[in-house]
Amino acid sequence: MRSLQRMASRRVGDPPRPGSEAELVDLWLQAAPRSSPMRDSLGRSIEVVYPGRRTGLAGPDLCDAIVSVDGGPARRVDVEVHLHEAGWRLHGHDGDERYAGEMLHLVWTAAAPGALSGPPYILAPQALAGGLSPEQRRSDPVGRPCRMAGAGPVSGAALGAAVRAEGARRHAERAAVLESEIEALGPDQALYRVLMRALGYSANTRQFEAVAAAVPIELLSAPAGPSLAERRLRAEAELLGAGGLLPSQRGQPAEHPHERALEEAWAGGSPRPAPVVEDWTLAAVRPHNRPARRLAGAARLLSTAPQARRSLAERVAGQVLAAYESERGRDLVGWFEVKVGPDDYWTRHLDVGRPAARPLPALVGRGRSLDLLVNAVLPFVAALGGWTGRPEFVAAADAALAGLGSVGWNRHTRYMADTLGLERRGLGAALAQQGLLRIYRRWCRDKHCATCPAAAAAASDFAESSDRGPGLRGDRGQAVDRPLRARRFGDARLVHGS
């Protein structure tokens, strides 16, 4: 807000030159949808349906922008912003694969003739000059895309119900996919795979799946010795070795006794092929989420003590069913935590051979345990119930999801709550967050506003408001209807990244 006010306070008639790239991003987000078709440095006509959203991650400044080029079909692109065109090369984007896709390059100062260092660019002072008046910059700082967002807080009755209904649909869809995986892989391997996928998060999902394929669950569950500690050590060595994360595979000496034990356990097995993963994503990954720690956590989860020859899938489904029957579904969160003692190697290490500055009490903490429940365990148990004809499993999984609290807000759920004008405090349940994710991926990402169930529900909430009168109203009483071009392209085929 302050950055936009600073730009608006400059001398009348002068272009509002931004003081930073962040200010230029703010200007783009608000002015681009209202600007007439703009021209890039190749002379192409660019019409902006949706200007994109901040990611907060390494890579382009904005993602999921929707544009039409030369009147063609809508396409989804990323947007990178620099004050000077030369910033593309100076920031090292020309050799970075994260910037290799289709992209808009927004700059304030153009390149010198013949000195272009990056992709074709849009010159902001010309393109955005008529997009926002100074008065609009002061009074309309949010620039959210949804037409519902300009009307202030909603009553939430119909909208909240619609969001939770979409969460239930997302849960059922995930269960249907997992039922097919159970049929193809068997229950234990299917559960193992979805747990590993969830532990990889968005940055390393593919890599964790590759490790799960290279080290099948039978290898981890086979007894390696009389003690649980020996089984866990072997499982950890197998997973880290398949991922190429042991000290010897990274050109490091095994200095700690635990590192030497891992190397011995890996060398004592059958002949091993080369590691299946050599391209771990570490940029923008929090230190306690590094792959080695998550693989060690997986080893602890998957190499528990035998329980009367019950398989992994039977044990997990039994836990969920027992929690449902005792009405203690919230206790499930603790069952999937992986805590470590004060003398454990992973209490003092962020990675193999990398000490931590302070103790880390868990390999899988309570928040991540809740994430595993919502995204892996409960959809799997519902799928197992469908596959085996056990409706009590389905009911137990559904009830557990409905009773869980917030999983933790990510960039997509925060974006959707802000876009719809919802208060997060009253929408913290896991079921609602799953609904926000489904709405984002099925409707909001591609701006299919006409068919979005959240928009219809929000319209119903507003229609029932007692003091707003007909239609939607902004904070100052002005009618709002944005974005106008979304209705033109909202149902068009997206030709990039769809």
Side-chain angles (χ1 to χ4, degrees):
M1 176 65 179
R2 286 193 295 269
S3 65
L4 293 174
Q5 289 175 332
R6 285 197 301 271
M7 287 191 287
S9 66
R10 299 179 190 275
R11 192 175 60 190
V12 175
D14 285 352
R17 180 179 179 83
S20 66
E21 290 181 1
E23 289 187 7
L24 184 50
V25 169
D26 287 339
L27 180 61
W28 167 263
L29 287 174
Q30 295 197 52
R34 298 175 171 88
S35 300
S36 59
M38 54 192 74
R39 297 280 176 181
D40 69 6
S41 56
L42 294 181
R44 298 179 301 176
S45 173
I46 309 293
E47 187 166 4
V48 177
V49 179
Y50 170 58
R53 60 176 179 82
R54 292 182 178 89
T55 65
L57 302 174
D61 293 308
L62 300 164
C63 69
D64 293 342
I66 302 175
V67 302
S68 170
V69 179
D70 285 336
R75 61 182 66 191
R76 189 163 51 239
V77 299
D78 294 331
V79 181
E80 180 63 12
V81 174
H82 294 109
L83 293 180
H84 195 285
E85 189 278 335
W88 182 273
R89 177 179 50 81
L90 294 175
H91 295 176
H93 301 334
D94 48 346
D96 192 331
E97 64 179 11
R98 291 172 296 189
Y99 298 83
E102 189 168 5
M103 182 169 296
L104 294 183
H105 188 200
L106 179 72
V107 305
W108 189 263
T109 303
L116 183 67
S117 65
Y121 59 83
I122 294 172
L123 193 58
Q126 297 175 3
L128 307 179
L132 280 179
S133 68
E135 291 75 17
Q136 285 175 308
R137 293 187 200 115
R138 285 192 293 267
S139 65
D140 187 18
V142 180
R144 292 177 295 201
C146 184
R147 291 180 300 160
M148 303 300 114
V154 300
S155 62
L159 181 55
V163 168
R164 288 187 290 273
E166 293 305 317
R169 291 188 181 97
R170 175 175 164 83
H171 174 67
E173 288 169 350
R174 293 170 73 105
V177 172
L178 284 171
E179 195 170 337
S180 298
E181 292 192 16
I182 292 172
E183 181 68 31
L185 303 174
D188 283 358
Q189 185 67 21
L191 174 56
Y192 169 42
R193 181 181 180 184
V194 73
L195 284 169
M196 291 287 278
R197 191 157 56 217
L199 285 167
Y201 309 115
S202 58
N204 287 299
T205 298
R206 174 183 56 82
Q207 293 88 333
F208 268 71
E209 285 185 335
V211 171
V215 185
I217 189 63
E218 292 82 4
L219 185 59
L220 297 181
S221 57
S227 72
L228 177 60
E230 288 177 304
R231 286 194 294 274
R232 286 178 170 174
L233 180 67
R234 179 183 174 186
E236 187 176 325
E238 294 286 350
L239 295 178
L240 291 174
L245 296 173
L246 290 171
S248 61
Q249 296 169 322
R250 304 164 84 175
Q252 302 172 1
E255 297 179 341
H256 192 279
H258 184 71
E259 296 167 11
R260 292 193 291 270
L262 289 171
E263 293 283 7
E264 292 172 4
W266 173 254
S270 58
R272 301 290 198 276
V276 297
V277 179
E278 297 179 350
D279 59 344
W280 292 104
T281 298
L282 300 179
V285 173
R286 294 178 179 177
H288 56 270
N289 286 343
R290 292 177 72 89
R293 285 188 62 84
R294 293 310 181 198
L295 289 174
R300 306 286 176 94
L301 277 174
L302 298 166
S303 57
T304 56
Q307 295 182 8
R309 299 185 179 181
R310 296 177 73 194
S311 70
L312 174 66
E314 289 173 332
R315 295 201 304 269
V316 168
Q319 287 174 327
V320 174
L321 183 59
Y324 171 61
E325 292 175 342
S326 64
E327 298 183 350
R328 300 185 64 178
R330 297 190 180 213
D331 291 349
L332 286 169
V333 180
W335 294 343
F336 295 92
E337 289 182 85
V338 179
K339 297 180 180 179
V340 288
D343 298 326
D344 194 290
Y345 175 82
W346 290 108
T347 302
R348 296 285 181 179
H349 286 80
L350 292 171
D351 199 345
V352 176
R354 182 178 176 182
R358 60 180 183 274
L360 302 168
L363 285 166
V364 179
R366 189 168 184 83
R368 297 309 175 190
S369 173
L370 184 55
D371 183 76
L372 285 177
L373 268 176
V374 171
N375 292 298
V377 173
L378 297 181
F380 172 82
V381 172
L384 186 65
W387 189 70
T388 59
R390 298 282 301 274
E392 65 271 26
F393 285 169
V394 179
D398 292 351
L401 178 62
L404 289 175
S406 172
V407 177
W409 292 89
N410 61 31
R411 62 186 185 277
H412 294 148
T413 52
R414 284 193 299 268
Y415 168 81
M416 284 309 311
D418 291 344
T419 294
L420 294 171
L422 290 169
E423 291 288 340
R424 293 188 214 166
R425 182 176 299 176
L427 200 73
L431 184 63
Q433 290 174 315
Q434 292 293 294
L436 292 174
L437 284 173
R438 189 173 193 268
I439 292 168
Y440 169 74
R441 290 173 179 169
R442 291 182 66 93
W443 290 283
C444 197
R445 186 182 183 195
D446 295 339
K447 300 298 167 284
H448 295 307
C449 304
T451 58
C452 175
S460 173
D461 276 331
F462 284 122
E464 294 173 2
S465 297
S466 60
D467 58 349
R468 292 196 179 261
L472 304 183
R473 297 280 162 184
D475 293 338
R476 298 196 174 193
Q478 72 273 22
V480 292
D481 184 18
R482 63 182 185 232
L484 296 178
R485 295 188 187 95
R487 288 194 293 277
R488 179 176 173 185
F489 296 110
D491 295 323
R493 178 175 61 91
L494 285 167
V495 298
H496 171 70
S498 54

